[in-house]
Amino acid sequence: MTGANGSVFTDAELTLRGHRTVGVELPGHGPDAPQFRVAYQAPQDLAALAAEPSAMADVTLDDYVAATVRTVRRAAEHGPVILVGGSMGGATITRAANEVPDLIDRLVYSAAFCCTKLRSIDDYLATPEAKGNRFDAIIGGVVGDPRRIGAVRINWRSADRDFLAALKEALMADAGEAEFLAMLNSSLPDDTLHVSTADARGHKRTWGRVPRTYIRHSRDRCIPPALQDRMIAEADELTPGNRFDVHTVPATHAPTKAAWARIVDILDDLARRL
């Protein structure tokens, strides 16, 4: 499950190791939604880009959850399901587990938001453990008024060196420039205004009975390790009989290829235990 601005993703290495993998296509993220427009091409028309309404304007966390549940139902017809979420995708997999806990064999949070004691992503970002997070680096790429276009629109194709340097430091400081730019070019410009404020709490009687794993990113500057640890501790407090299985990788918020290889090893091991 992708985080903010992410596109559908499956992993070839997991497939080569014998696992079925599928990316969940979220509403407003697919080819039927005009995420990519002529104004976003080169040379860019920033005035037009700042004015065009977004297909994400009315997309909510409920919509993300509904799409995820549909995919889980289909996948569960063919075998065990491990539902993986990164970053903001943690809110979606939590809520999906509230809906269909009996169809999910394990939840995996990879430096992802896991809301239990606090209501929403924004609530967790307001905690002391989130202090100093670098999500503000994204602001330098915002195009247009989110209230007017109905979404947060980021110009990932900007050539502004200051913006790119700040963004790399925040998201993928360990990467070389080519790997970092490749990651940006896989990102969608628009994302919903509604998910970060939505109620994303896991419920003890549903989500709370699904086995779960947390993959800590120890070099994450957007969801700092202290915030990851707080969310793990609060989840374990809610369900002391079903605690997180915790792993730590030396990864930034967006993992490099080397860091992702270590995450794949963890996912491979979890799948083989089912």
Side-chain angles (χ1 to χ4, degrees):
M1 180 64 54
T2 180
N5 303 96
S7 51
V8 175
F9 173 76
T10 57
D11 186 79
E13 179 61 24
L14 285 170
T15 302
L16 290 170
R17 295 187 192 190
H19 307 297
R20 296 175 299 109
T21 65
V22 61
V24 179
E25 188 170 283
L26 296 174
H29 288 233
D32 56 330
Q35 282 271 4
F36 298 102
R37 39 182 59 84
V38 171
Y40 190 53
Q41 297 300 111
Q44 292 186 313
D45 184 342
L46 291 179
L49 188 62
E52 293 181 16
S54 175
M56 299 293 295
D58 298 318
V59 174
T60 67
L61 181 57
D62 288 343
D63 296 321
Y64 282 3
V65 172
T68 303
V69 167
R70 286 194 296 270
T71 301
V72 168
R73 289 189 188 279
R74 293 193 63 188
E77 295 175 0
H78 305 285
V81 174
I82 296 177
L83 189 57
V84 183
S87 192
M88 194 168 76
T92 305
I93 68 171
T94 297
R95 285 277 307 276
N98 283 341
E99 298 292 326
V100 287
D102 295 330
L103 297 183
I104 301 170
D105 294 88
R106 180 168 291 273
L107 295 166
V108 178
Y109 295 78
S110 187
F113 287 98
C114 178
C115 304
T116 52
K117 183 172 287 187
L118 301 182
R119 181 179 181 276
S120 69
I121 289 171
D122 278 3
D123 288 342
Y124 276 98
L125 287 174
T127 63
E129 291 81 2
K131 186 177 181 180
N133 78 78
R134 297 297 309 278
F135 277 122
D136 61 340
I138 295 171
I139 294 173
V142 171
V143 176
D145 182 347
R147 294 168 298 180
R148 180 181 175 190
I149 64 177
V152 177
R153 180 168 294 159
I154 312 296
N155 182 15
W156 304 116
R157 293 177 178 170
S158 170
D160 184 319
R161 285 287 180 178
D162 291 338
F163 167 61
L164 293 174
L167 196 62
K168 183 175 183 295
E169 187 70 16
L171 296 178
M172 211 176 190
D174 294 351
E177 183 176 69
E179 186 175 12
F180 167 66
L181 292 176
M183 183 274 293
L184 289 190
N185 275 285
S186 70
S187 299
L188 302 177
D190 291 6
D191 215 331
T192 173
L193 294 168
H194 307 298
V195 169
S196 66
T197 59
D199 189 341
R201 287 173 291 185
H203 298 160
K204 183 175 182 177
R205 292 174 54 197
T206 50
W207 164 89
R209 67 175 189 258
V210 182
R212 59 181 184 260
T213 292
Y214 202 101
I215 302 175
R216 299 174 68 255
H217 292 200
S218 63
R219 298 175 181 171
D220 197 327
R221 295 176 181 175
C222 290
I223 306 180
L227 179 56
Q228 297 175 52
D229 291 341
R230 173 175 177 152
M231 292 186 290
I232 292 168
E234 290 182 355
D236 289 350
E237 182 181 347
L238 180 64
T239 59
N242 180 28
R243 301 172 65 85
F244 264 115
D245 161 49
V246 180
H247 302 259
T248 300
V249 295
T252 48
H253 191 65
T256 61
K257 183 178 180 180
W260 179 249
R262 299 183 66 164
I263 294 171
V264 165
D265 286 340
I266 295 168
L267 297 176
D268 178 36
D269 182 61
L270 292 172
R272 293 183 187 282
R273 294 183 194 179
L274 296 178

